[in-house]
Amino acid sequence: MASSSSGLTFKLHPLVIVNISDHHTRVKSQSQPPTADVTSSSSPAPRVFGCVIGVQKARTVEIFNSFELLYDPSTHSLDRSFLEKKQELYKKVFPNFYILGWYSTGADAEESDMHIHKALMDINENPVYVLLNPLINHAQKDLPVTIYESEMHVIDGIPQLIFVQSSYTIETVEAERISVDHVAHLKPSDGGSAATQLAAHLTGIHSAIKMLNSRIRVLHHYLNAMQKGEIPYENSLLRQVSSLLRRLPAIESEKFQDDFLMEYNDTILISYLAMFTDCTSTMNDLVDKINIAYDRHSRKGGRTAFI
Amino acid sequence: MDPYSFSSSAAMAQQTWELENNIVTMETPQSSESDAIFYYDESAQAKFQQDKPWLNDPHYFKRVKISALALLKMVVHARSGGTIEVMGLMQGKTDGDAIIVMDAFALPVEGTETRVNAQADAYEYMVEYSQTNKQAGRLENVVGWYHSHPGYGCWLSGIDVSTQMLNQQYQEPFLAVVIDPTRTVSAGKVEIGAFRTYPEGYKPSDEPVSEYQTIPLNKIEDFGVHCKQYYSLDVTYFKSSLDCHLLDLLWNKYWVNTLSSSPLLGNGDYVAGQISDLAEKLEQAEGQLSHSRFGPLIAPTQRKKEEESQLDKITRDSAKITVEQVHGLMSQVIKDILFNSVRPSHKSQPESSGPEPMVQS
């Protein structure tokens, strides 16, 4: 599989990945009831198929959502009327999304997949094919999701469409990120004390920084090895690293400093006000208690009822 | 240099934190047996429908389990509505005293606050969608509805309560879920609540303890009138083993987003609204408190009944707003130190260009 040369950038939302995984788990567990013997679950799970929808702007293809489709194994094609019905339903709720392609599960793209791919070409002239590998392989550190495009290549003198792999990035909306984080790490769902919240927030940032650190170290190690001559020079990589370093410091202008300080001062002002409110409330309680304890107008008369 | 040792020490840090905070992790879905929750047992569900154990006990259902997929879909849909309320339906099944939500889908209606039965418009959509779903292999029935309260908290308004009471008469078992996408983004954790109403005239035997949340002044009357008519259920989440694996791997990709997120920038409007609301509440509270000479004679009897005075609630709200702001600022400062303090110089210690508070001229 060669890599794609179409120049399109792909952005994938985590919702799509969770959707496909859920579809697969559902079909798998329905076909193998839990009362069956565990050892018999070694038979390969049936493949599932579906459609991916999203937005395409110029050269960027952003895949937001997906839904299931019916597959007819005898004709190796997807049920067309079903697809159209589902598309109508989704258009009502998400009017901006178009059909961008289809998805399936499995280890590798197969020949029969090209058939389905071609069938979709009348809806979208360049559909994408998202493949998820449902086999859990703990040694693998990369997401088992690949995106394929189709390209016309001349093989043995015959122009044919073959699948080529494309790279993609994961894109999230803030809300999506928070809920994915929430489910992934099962953070405490209740308010907890301020200390717990602070710990949760800082742990999140801490792990992110650790990742950054480890990635930088890998690069550093690589560059060192290159310098020592253990690895042949690779100029394009060196250019990228150099341009990355030239971008630091990220922003350094008078205006930025001013705005940043203003934001900082705003936040400190808010905390000042909150402390003020807290003190006022405590003082209020104190005054109330003093009034009760040293009641000047008690019925017994006299200046103080309790000493 | 072993890059993987860092991820394992991150795992260790997470575990120590979890231990310190008594996090009880859900059943560890490492084996395929726990994926059994995904299996839909038609006959068992039909029998449950026949038995109707909820008729005798209004407080029958106590817990809700939401799948990762359903949560993600609901939160994304709620957020996409912006400041408009959106709604949708949830599909799933029941399991003893728990309602399990497997999936959710959005409905093409908007603004449920003014329309009592917005669901009527969406019946056609619902029927078609359920039919197509059953064909595609999703066998569960509709088991509840969800809607969003952008910015004003997770509770049931008067109209929501009447809608839910109607649902609980004709479509049992049914659940109401409310999501607040604005507070989710602002606080950095998911704001979600699951509720069931009591039947007309039923008085709960004990006062259920619910988590305090701040309600804006213009909605507080609606909240107060109806808050005794429903109870909230415990919400837990579950995911399949494949989901677990994928989400772990996803972290390798979206740690960038974690670092680059700026809650301060995104939620300026909401914070401003909260602060002005707090100011109004403060003015109201000022009217109530009095320290005149006759104060102590009148006040003590009232004091015993109120659990918290207005001022205490206001203090709590202001603390909450501040904490969120400070968290946002912390992220900004960290990013500034990370990316702005680098100088292409030979200094041994890069001087931090961190802001010197209120001293800059």
Side-chain angles (χ1 to χ4, degrees):
Chain A
M1 301 274 168
S3 54
S4 154
S5 56
S6 68
L8 290 176
T9 36
F10 290 100
K11 292 187 184 172
L12 192 60
H13 278 247
L15 178 56
V16 178
I17 301 180
V18 178
N19 242 337
I20 305 179
S21 140
D22 175 77
H23 188 193
H24 169 88
T25 317
R26 235 189 308 142
V27 169
K28 183 167 109 158
S29 62
Q30 205 62 28
S31 61
Q32 292 157 8
T35 48
D37 200 0
V38 180
T39 52
S40 70
S41 63
S42 55
S43 60
R47 292 184 77 185
V48 297
F49 297 85
C51 192
V52 295
I53 58 178
V55 174
Q56 176 162 6
K57 268 187 222 156
R59 311 292 281 164
T60 318
V61 177
E62 199 165 350
I63 305 177
F64 277 93
N65 209 340
S66 63
F67 55 84
E68 309 88 6
L69 287 175
L70 289 179
Y71 175 67
D72 191 355
S74 52
T75 61
H76 285 294
S77 63
L78 299 171
D79 191 337
R80 201 42 189 260
S81 55
F82 187 81
L83 181 128
E84 257 142 44
K85 244 200 296 183
K86 265 298 231 273
Q87 186 188 10
E88 248 183 67
L89 290 176
Y90 268 84
K91 262 286 192 218
K92 285 200 199 143
V93 190
F94 301 111
N96 301 333
F97 293 167
Y98 294 99
I99 293 193
L100 291 177
W102 61 293
Y103 71 79
S104 160
T105 52
D108 214 351
E110 290 171 17
E111 283 308 313
S112 52
D113 295 343
M114 186 49 83
H115 198 88
I116 307 175
H117 202 84
K118 284 193 188 142
L120 273 179
M121 274 186 170
D122 57 343
I123 305 184
N124 182 334
E125 61 211 17
N126 191 7
V128 304
Y129 172 34
V130 180
L131 180 70
L132 173 81
N133 188 350
L135 291 173
I136 302 178
N137 182 359
H138 288 284
Q140 196 187 19
K141 289 291 173 181
D142 212 6
L143 265 182
V145 176
T146 31
I147 293 193
Y148 293 104
E149 278 186 291
S150 58
E151 264 182 18
M152 194 73 78
H153 279 237
V154 178
I155 303 174
D156 303 328
I158 312 168
Q160 280 184 9
L161 281 177
I162 62 163
F163 282 125
V164 289
Q165 228 178 16
S166 324
S167 61
Y168 60 93
T169 51
I170 301 281
E171 176 89 6
T172 60
V173 199
E174 183 68 15
E176 215 176 338
R177 182 188 72 76
I178 293 177
S179 30
V180 166
D181 220 16
H182 190 93
V183 182
H185 302 138
L186 288 174
K187 294 214 178 104
S189 52
D190 61 8
S193 65
T196 329
Q197 281 180 330
L198 182 65
H201 186 245
L202 287 179
T203 314
I205 298 191
H206 178 72
S207 337
I209 296 182
K210 266 210 167 10
M211 282 300 272
L212 181 64
N213 190 18
S214 68
R215 298 288 161 97
I216 293 180
R217 290 212 183 227
V218 168
L219 266 182
H220 183 83
H221 190 59
Y222 189 73
L223 288 174
N224 262 340
M226 236 197 250
Q227 197 179 38
K228 284 183 209 159
E230 291 162 20
I231 307 174
Y233 277 90
E234 203 189 311
N235 284 321
S236 64
L237 193 72
L238 285 175
R239 273 197 292 270
Q240 279 182 327
V241 173
S242 149
S243 74
L244 185 70
L245 287 176
R246 262 196 292 259
R247 282 168 65 181
L248 294 176
I251 307 183
E252 202 184 6
S253 73
E254 198 57 45
K255 179 106 183 9
F256 171 71
Q257 279 291 73
D258 285 346
D259 287 346
F260 191 68
L261 278 176
M262 204 146 47
E263 201 173 55
Y264 194 92
N265 286 347
D266 282 345
T267 309
I268 296 192
L269 182 66
I270 292 178
S271 62
Y272 184 56
L273 285 175
M275 269 199 295
F276 231 163
T277 318
D278 197 19
C279 285
T280 318
S281 158
T282 319
M283 280 238 290
N284 184 43
D285 282 345
L286 179 66
V287 169
D288 280 341
K289 285 177 186 160
I290 290 181
N291 272 342
I292 296 175
Y294 297 99
D295 197 350
R296 281 162 168 260
H297 296 275
S298 72
R299 279 174 247 125
K300 288 188 184 163
R303 300 197 47 181
T304 45
F306 310 97
I307 295 183
Chain B
M1 283 297 145
D2 182 7
Y4 297 127
S5 70
F6 293 105
S7 48
S8 68
S9 61
M12 212 160 54
Q14 181 179 338
Q15 276 174 350
T16 13
W17 173 74
E18 275 182 12
L19 219 62
E20 284 167 7
N21 289 289
N22 296 327
I23 311 287
V24 177
T25 40
M26 286 274 296
E27 65 254 11
T28 43
Q30 299 296 341
S31 59
S32 58
E33 280 108 37
S34 66
D35 282 350
I37 203 172
F38 286 87
Y39 176 66
Y40 181 70
D41 190 349
E42 188 114 25
S43 49
Q45 289 295 309
K47 184 170 178 304
F48 196 75
Q49 289 276 67
Q50 293 271 353
D51 284 343
K52 298 199 208 297
W54 53 81
L55 279 182
N56 300 327
D57 181 8
H59 218 301
Y60 181 74
F61 290 112
K62 296 195 177 56
R63 302 174 289 138
V64 178
K65 290 198 208 170
I66 303 186
S67 77
L69 177 67
L71 180 71
L72 205 50
K73 277 192 177 172
M74 293 195 283
V75 172
V76 168
H77 181 219
R79 185 62 173 166
S80 70
T83 44
I84 304 178
E85 290 100 1
V86 295
M87 66 181 278
L89 293 176
M90 308 185 290
Q91 296 171 299
K93 53 192 181 184
T94 50
D95 180 21
D97 68 346
I99 299 186
I100 305 180
V101 176
M102 311 284 305
D103 195 9
F105 61 91
L107 286 177
V109 287
E110 281 181 355
T112 55
E113 287 308 306
T114 48
R115 301 155 68 183
V116 177
N117 205 357
Q119 289 180 25
D121 284 354
Y123 277 149
E124 211 190 286
Y125 183 93
M126 212 161 45
V127 164
E128 262 205 70
Y129 194 95
S130 305
Q131 268 178 353
T132 50
N133 256 355
K134 286 232 161 61
Q135 275 182 303
R138 170 154 321 268
L139 308 165
E140 291 90 9
N141 294 319
V142 170
V143 85
W145 65 300
Y146 70 90
H147 66 289
S148 67
H149 277 182
Y152 51 99
C154 296
W155 45 281
L156 290 182
S157 69
I159 300 180
D160 295 339
V161 167
S162 37
T163 315
Q164 178 62 11
M165 278 212 235
L166 211 67
N167 283 331
Q168 284 188 203
Q169 276 186 308
Y170 299 115
Q171 289 186 53
E172 280 283 52
F174 219 69
L175 178 71
V177 163
V178 181
I179 296 184
D180 186 345
T182 322
R183 286 202 187 170
T184 298
V185 174
S186 156
K189 61 177 180 64
V190 181
E191 287 277 331
I192 189 172
F195 309 103
R196 275 179 62 83
T197 50
Y198 293 123
E200 195 82 35
Y202 175 79
K203 275 267 169 339
S205 49
D206 52 3
E207 294 283 307
V209 174
S210 58
E211 181 200 336
Y212 172 79
Q213 53 181 329
T214 152
I215 318 270
L217 259 185
N218 51 359
K219 309 260 176 196
I220 202 161
E221 250 188 68
D222 199 5
F223 170 74
V225 167
H226 299 280
C227 68
K228 295 277 181 283
Q229 293 176 311
Y230 54 89
Y231 69 97
S232 68
L233 294 91
D234 281 331
V235 178
T236 45
Y237 306 99
F238 66 91
K239 47 193 177 175
S240 68
S241 40
L242 182 60
D243 283 340
C244 224
H245 179 69
L246 287 174
L247 287 172
D248 281 340
L249 292 176
L250 256 183
W251 171 246
N252 290 344
K253 297 270 154 100
Y254 77 83
W255 61 270
V256 178
N257 294 64
T258 309
L259 203 50
S260 64
S261 75
S262 315
L264 283 187
L265 294 176
N267 265 359
D269 281 349
Y270 169 68
V271 175
Q274 287 291 88
I275 295 182
S276 76
D277 187 67
L278 202 59
E280 279 176 29
K281 282 188 185 158
L282 206 48
E283 278 197 39
Q284 239 189 20
E286 206 181 335
Q288 284 178 2
L289 296 168
S290 60
H291 289 292
S292 64
R293 288 173 160 214
F294 306 103
L297 288 178
I298 316 167
T301 41
Q302 292 166 341
R303 174 68 47 104
K304 279 173 201 141
K305 288 198 190 138
E306 259 177 51
E307 287 153 11
E308 287 189 321
S309 74
Q310 264 289 67
L311 199 52
D312 283 338
K313 286 196 194 135
I314 291 175
T315 314
R316 260 223 258 174
D317 291 345
S318 65
K320 182 165 180 291
I321 297 176
T322 312
V323 162
E324 287 171 12
Q325 282 290 94
V326 168
H327 284 179
L329 183 70
M330 269 196 269
S331 320
Q332 298 289 78
V333 168
I334 288 176
K335 279 188 280 188
D336 183 58
I337 295 178
L338 268 179
F339 300 118
N340 277 354
S341 333
V342 183
R343 299 268 173 273
S345 66
H346 305 288
K347 284 195 205 141
S348 53
Q349 258 204 1
E351 268 189 59
S352 157
S353 70
E356 288 148 26
M358 301 200 241
V359 179
Q360 297 269 59
S361 53

